[in-house]
Amino acid sequence: MNNRTLDPAKDPMGRAIADFHSTGKAAKLRVLSSMFYEDEIPVATLFRKFGDMPLLEQEMFKLAKGRILDVGAGSGCHSVEFMQRGHEVVAIDISELSVQVMKERGVDARMVNLFDETFNEKFDTIVMAMNGIGIVGKTECMQEFFRCAKRLLNPEGAILLDSSDIRYIFENEDGSMDIDLAAGYYGEVDFNMRYKNIKGDSFDWLYIDFDTLCYYANENGFNCEKCLEGEHYDYLARLTKR
Ligand code: SAH
Protein backbone atom coordinates (compact mmCIF):
# COMPACT_ATOMS: atom_id res chain seq x y z
CA MET A 1 0.00 0.00 0.00
CA ASN A 2 2.98 2.32 0.62
CA ASN A 3 3.62 3.44 -2.90
CA ARG A 4 0.22 2.95 -4.40
CA THR A 5 -0.89 5.70 -6.76
CA LEU A 6 -4.00 5.85 -8.90
CA ASP A 7 -4.02 5.01 -12.59
CA PRO A 8 -6.18 7.71 -14.29
CA ALA A 9 -8.17 4.92 -15.99
CA LYS A 10 -9.29 3.75 -12.52
CA ASP A 11 -9.68 7.08 -10.77
CA PRO A 12 -13.34 8.18 -10.80
CA MET A 13 -12.92 11.01 -8.29
CA GLY A 14 -9.82 12.36 -10.01
CA ARG A 15 -11.62 12.38 -13.35
CA ALA A 16 -14.63 14.15 -11.81
CA ILE A 17 -12.31 16.76 -10.28
CA ALA A 18 -10.51 17.24 -13.62
CA ASP A 19 -13.83 17.61 -15.50
CA PHE A 20 -15.19 20.12 -13.01
CA HIS A 21 -11.97 22.10 -13.09
CA SER A 22 -11.88 22.34 -16.88
CA THR A 23 -15.61 22.75 -17.66
CA GLY A 24 -17.26 23.95 -14.43
CA LYS A 25 -19.47 20.87 -14.34
CA ALA A 26 -19.27 17.12 -13.83
CA ALA A 27 -21.43 14.01 -14.05
CA LYS A 28 -22.56 12.04 -11.03
CA LEU A 29 -19.76 10.76 -8.75
CA ARG A 30 -21.27 7.60 -7.26
CA VAL A 31 -20.09 6.01 -4.03
CA LEU A 32 -20.78 2.33 -3.36
CA SER A 33 -20.14 0.27 -0.26
CA SER A 34 -21.19 -3.07 1.11
CA MET A 35 -22.24 -1.24 4.28
CA PHE A 36 -24.21 1.73 2.97
CA TYR A 37 -26.83 2.51 0.38
CA GLU A 38 -25.45 3.98 -2.81
CA ASP A 39 -24.59 7.63 -2.35
CA GLU A 40 -23.22 10.48 -4.40
CA ILE A 41 -20.56 13.14 -3.79
CA PRO A 42 -21.63 16.43 -5.36
CA VAL A 43 -18.45 17.28 -7.26
CA ALA A 44 -18.89 21.03 -6.67
CA THR A 45 -18.42 20.40 -2.92
CA LEU A 46 -14.90 19.13 -3.64
CA PHE A 47 -14.18 22.70 -4.80
CA ARG A 48 -15.78 24.33 -1.74
CA LYS A 49 -14.64 27.75 -0.61
CA PHE A 50 -14.13 28.73 3.02
CA GLY A 51 -17.71 29.99 3.44
CA ASP A 52 -19.14 26.64 2.25
CA MET A 53 -16.93 24.47 4.44
CA PRO A 54 -18.34 22.72 7.50
CA LEU A 55 -17.47 24.43 10.81
CA LEU A 56 -15.02 21.66 11.69
CA GLU A 57 -13.01 22.47 8.57
CA GLN A 58 -13.26 26.23 9.10
CA GLU A 59 -11.80 25.72 12.57
CA MET A 60 -8.73 24.04 11.02
CA PHE A 61 -7.74 27.39 9.54
CA LYS A 62 -7.70 28.95 12.99
CA LEU A 63 -5.62 26.16 14.50
CA ALA A 64 -3.11 25.55 11.71
CA LYS A 65 0.34 27.06 12.03
CA GLY A 66 3.38 27.49 9.80
CA ARG A 67 4.24 25.19 6.91
CA ILE A 68 1.35 22.94 6.02
CA LEU A 69 1.02 19.46 4.51
CA ASP A 70 -2.46 18.91 3.03
CA VAL A 71 -2.85 15.12 2.87
CA GLY A 72 -5.23 13.61 0.31
CA ALA A 73 -5.81 17.13 -0.91
CA GLY A 74 -8.22 16.33 -3.80
CA SER A 75 -9.01 19.50 -5.74
CA GLY A 76 -6.78 21.49 -3.37
CA CYS A 77 -9.65 23.48 -1.85
CA HIS A 78 -7.98 23.70 1.57
CA SER A 79 -4.50 24.26 0.11
CA VAL A 80 -5.73 27.22 -1.93
CA GLU A 81 -7.35 28.76 1.15
CA PHE A 82 -4.23 28.21 3.27
CA MET A 83 -2.11 29.86 0.56
CA GLN A 84 -4.43 32.86 0.48
CA ARG A 85 -3.85 33.16 4.22
CA GLY A 86 -0.11 33.32 3.69
CA HIS A 87 0.88 29.75 4.60
CA GLU A 88 3.50 27.77 2.77
CA VAL A 89 1.67 24.62 1.63
CA VAL A 90 2.54 21.27 0.09
CA ALA A 91 -0.40 19.13 -1.08
CA ILE A 92 -0.06 15.39 -1.61
CA ASP A 93 -2.45 13.01 -3.30
CA ILE A 94 -2.21 9.61 -4.98
CA SER A 95 -4.41 10.82 -7.84
CA GLU A 96 -2.40 12.01 -10.83
CA LEU A 97 -5.50 13.76 -12.19
CA SER A 98 -6.10 15.67 -8.95
CA VAL A 99 -2.44 16.60 -8.63
CA GLN A 100 -2.53 18.04 -12.16
CA VAL A 101 -5.60 20.14 -11.29
CA MET A 102 -3.94 21.42 -8.12
CA LYS A 103 -0.83 22.40 -10.06
CA GLU A 104 -3.03 24.35 -12.48
CA ARG A 105 -4.53 26.11 -9.45
CA GLY A 106 -1.03 27.18 -8.39
CA VAL A 107 -0.61 24.66 -5.56
CA ASP A 108 2.73 22.95 -4.85
CA ALA A 109 1.14 19.52 -5.36
CA ARG A 110 2.98 16.20 -5.47
CA MET A 111 1.82 12.73 -6.41
CA VAL A 112 2.87 11.13 -3.16
CA ASN A 113 1.29 8.45 -1.00
CA LEU A 114 1.33 9.49 2.67
CA PHE A 115 2.81 6.11 3.56
CA ASP A 116 5.75 6.48 1.17
CA GLU A 117 8.78 6.55 3.46
CA THR A 118 10.91 8.34 0.88
CA PHE A 119 8.79 11.47 1.33
CA ASN A 120 10.81 13.20 3.98
CA GLU A 121 10.02 16.88 4.32
CA LYS A 122 9.12 18.65 7.57
CA PHE A 123 5.89 20.45 8.39
CA ASP A 124 4.35 22.35 11.28
CA THR A 125 0.81 21.17 10.58
CA ILE A 126 -0.53 18.09 8.82
CA VAL A 127 -4.10 18.67 7.66
CA MET A 128 -6.42 15.75 6.88
CA ALA A 129 -9.82 17.15 5.93
CA MET A 130 -13.09 15.42 5.02
CA ASN A 131 -12.42 12.46 7.26
CA GLY A 132 -8.88 12.49 5.90
CA ILE A 133 -7.73 9.89 8.44
CA GLY A 134 -9.92 7.56 6.35
CA ILE A 135 -6.95 6.81 4.11
CA VAL A 136 -5.43 4.77 6.94
CA GLY A 137 -8.09 2.19 6.03
CA LYS A 138 -7.90 -0.12 9.06
CA THR A 139 -7.07 0.43 12.73
CA GLU A 140 -4.20 -2.06 12.35
CA CYS A 141 -2.49 0.57 10.17
CA MET A 142 -2.67 3.33 12.81
CA GLN A 143 0.82 2.56 14.05
CA GLU A 144 2.20 3.02 10.55
CA PHE A 145 0.27 6.26 10.23
CA PHE A 146 1.81 7.67 13.41
CA ARG A 147 5.26 6.57 12.29
CA CYS A 148 4.81 8.62 9.09
CA ALA A 149 3.42 11.57 11.03
CA LYS A 150 6.43 11.56 13.36
CA ARG A 151 8.78 11.60 10.40
CA LEU A 152 6.97 14.53 8.75
CA LEU A 153 6.30 16.78 11.76
CA ASN A 154 8.56 19.42 13.26
CA PRO A 155 9.00 19.02 17.04
CA GLU A 156 6.14 21.38 17.93
CA GLY A 157 4.01 20.20 15.01
CA ALA A 158 0.39 19.04 15.03
CA ILE A 159 -2.01 16.90 13.01
CA LEU A 160 -5.49 18.34 12.45
CA LEU A 161 -8.12 15.86 11.34
CA ASP A 162 -11.86 15.43 11.31
CA SER A 163 -13.66 12.09 11.54
CA SER A 164 -16.98 10.60 12.69
CA ASP A 165 -18.14 7.91 15.03
CA ILE A 166 -20.39 5.83 12.76
CA ARG A 167 -21.86 3.79 15.63
CA TYR A 168 -25.26 5.40 14.91
CA ILE A 169 -25.51 3.12 11.87
CA PHE A 170 -25.59 0.08 14.14
CA GLU A 171 -27.78 1.54 16.87
CA ASN A 172 -31.27 0.17 17.50
CA GLU A 173 -34.10 2.36 18.69
CA ASP A 174 -33.64 1.14 22.26
CA GLY A 175 -29.99 2.26 22.20
CA SER A 176 -28.55 -1.27 21.91
CA MET A 177 -25.99 -1.92 19.22
CA ASP A 178 -25.83 -4.49 16.43
CA ILE A 179 -22.06 -4.64 16.24
CA ASP A 180 -20.24 -7.89 15.57
CA LEU A 181 -17.31 -7.56 17.94
CA ALA A 182 -15.52 -10.43 16.23
CA ALA A 183 -15.61 -8.61 12.91
CA GLY A 184 -13.01 -5.95 13.77
CA TYR A 185 -13.49 -2.26 14.45
CA TYR A 186 -16.93 -1.06 13.32
CA GLY A 187 -15.59 2.05 11.56
CA GLU A 188 -13.71 0.05 8.91
CA VAL A 189 -15.61 0.46 5.66
CA ASP A 190 -15.06 -0.59 2.05
CA PHE A 191 -15.87 1.84 -0.74
CA ASN A 192 -15.64 2.04 -4.44
CA MET A 193 -16.53 4.89 -6.74
CA ARG A 194 -17.92 5.26 -10.24
CA TYR A 195 -17.87 8.20 -12.57
CA LYS A 196 -19.17 8.01 -16.13
CA ASN A 197 -17.70 4.69 -17.36
CA ILE A 198 -14.79 4.73 -14.91
CA LYS A 199 -14.87 2.13 -12.15
CA GLY A 200 -12.44 2.52 -9.29
CA ASP A 201 -10.99 -0.39 -7.36
CA SER A 202 -12.48 -1.06 -3.95
CA PHE A 203 -10.56 0.57 -1.08
CA ASP A 204 -10.58 0.49 2.72
CA TRP A 205 -11.67 3.62 4.55
CA LEU A 206 -11.59 4.26 8.28
CA TYR A 207 -14.06 6.25 10.35
CA ILE A 208 -12.66 6.48 13.85
CA ASP A 209 -14.42 7.58 17.02
CA PHE A 210 -12.59 10.00 19.27
CA ASP A 211 -11.83 7.52 22.09
CA THR A 212 -10.37 4.95 19.71
CA LEU A 213 -8.29 7.67 18.03
CA CYS A 214 -6.95 8.73 21.46
CA TYR A 215 -6.11 5.13 22.31
CA TYR A 216 -3.94 4.73 19.19
CA ALA A 217 -2.46 8.23 19.57
CA ASN A 218 -1.36 7.49 23.14
CA GLU A 219 0.03 4.09 22.19
CA ASN A 220 2.15 5.81 19.56
CA GLY A 221 3.46 8.78 21.52
CA PHE A 222 0.90 11.43 20.62
CA ASN A 223 -1.45 13.58 22.69
CA CYS A 224 -4.97 13.83 21.36
CA GLU A 225 -7.46 16.59 22.05
CA LYS A 226 -10.93 17.25 20.74
CA CYS A 227 -11.12 20.81 19.45
CA LEU A 228 -14.71 20.90 18.27
CA GLU A 229 -17.72 18.64 17.90
CA GLY A 230 -19.88 18.61 14.80
CA GLU A 231 -23.61 18.11 14.58
CA HIS A 232 -23.63 14.42 13.76
CA TYR A 233 -21.12 12.34 15.75
CA ASP A 234 -18.27 14.12 13.99
CA TYR A 235 -15.40 15.99 15.57
CA LEU A 236 -12.15 17.83 14.93
CA ALA A 237 -9.04 16.53 16.68
CA ARG A 238 -5.56 17.93 17.19
CA LEU A 239 -2.72 15.48 17.74
CA THR A 240 0.71 16.53 18.97
CA LYS A 241 3.90 14.61 19.64
CA ARG A 242 4.54 13.94 23.33
N1 SAH B 1 -9.21 16.55 1.30
C1 SAH B 1 -10.02 16.72 0.12
C2 SAH B 1 -10.29 15.42 -0.64
C3 SAH B 1 -10.80 14.25 0.16
S1 SAH B 1 -11.04 12.77 -0.78
C4 SAH B 1 -11.29 17.42 0.50
O1 SAH B 1 -11.54 17.62 1.69
O2 SAH B 1 -12.07 17.81 -0.39
C5 SAH B 1 -9.62 11.82 -0.30
C6 SAH B 1 -8.41 12.07 -1.17
O3 SAH B 1 -7.32 11.32 -0.61
C7 SAH B 1 -8.53 11.60 -2.60
O4 SAH B 1 -8.18 12.66 -3.46
C8 SAH B 1 -7.55 10.43 -2.73
O5 SAH B 1 -6.95 10.33 -4.00
C9 SAH B 1 -6.53 10.77 -1.65
N2 SAH B 1 -5.76 9.65 -1.06
C10 SAH B 1 -6.21 8.41 -0.78
N3 SAH B 1 -5.24 7.66 -0.21
C11 SAH B 1 -4.13 8.46 -0.10
C12 SAH B 1 -2.81 8.26 0.42
N4 SAH B 1 -2.45 7.08 0.94
N5 SAH B 1 -1.93 9.28 0.36
C13 SAH B 1 -2.30 10.48 -0.17
N6 SAH B 1 -3.56 10.72 -0.67
C14 SAH B 1 -4.46 9.74 -0.64
Side-chain angles (χ1 to χ4, degrees), residues 183-197:
Y185 177 60
Y186 63 81
E188 294 172 352
V189 177
D190 64 288
F191 280 123
N192 68 81
M193 298 205 198
R194 307 257 169 100
Y195 178 76
K196 293 181 171 167
N197 58 353

Side-chain angles (χ1 to χ4, degrees), residues 73-87:
S75 80
C77 54
H78 301 91
S79 291
V80 167
E81 180 69 28
F82 276 119
M83 286 163 65
Q84 283 168 359
R85 289 167 185 247
H87 287 276

Side-chain angles (χ1 to χ4, degrees), residues 2 8 13 27 36 39 57 104-105 118 120-121 131 151 193 201 211 219 227 230-231:
N2 293 2
M13 184 188 260
F36 303 105
D39 202 357
E57 290 184 12
E104 286 169 22
R105 299 181 82 191
T118 63
N120 242 326
E121 295 183 29
N131 193 62
R151 192 183 68 242
M193 298 205 198
D201 288 334
D211 289 342
E219 287 272 292
C227 303
E231 286 171 2

Side-chain angles (χ1 to χ4, degrees), residues 6 13 46 48 72-74 77-78 92-95 112-115 129-130 135 205:
L6 287 177
M13 184 188 260
L46 296 172
R48 60 203 178 278
C77 54
H78 301 91
I92 59 170
D93 204 292
I94 55 171
S95 161
V112 168
N113 188 315
L114 175 68
F115 297 98
M130 198 173 160
I135 66 172
W205 191 252

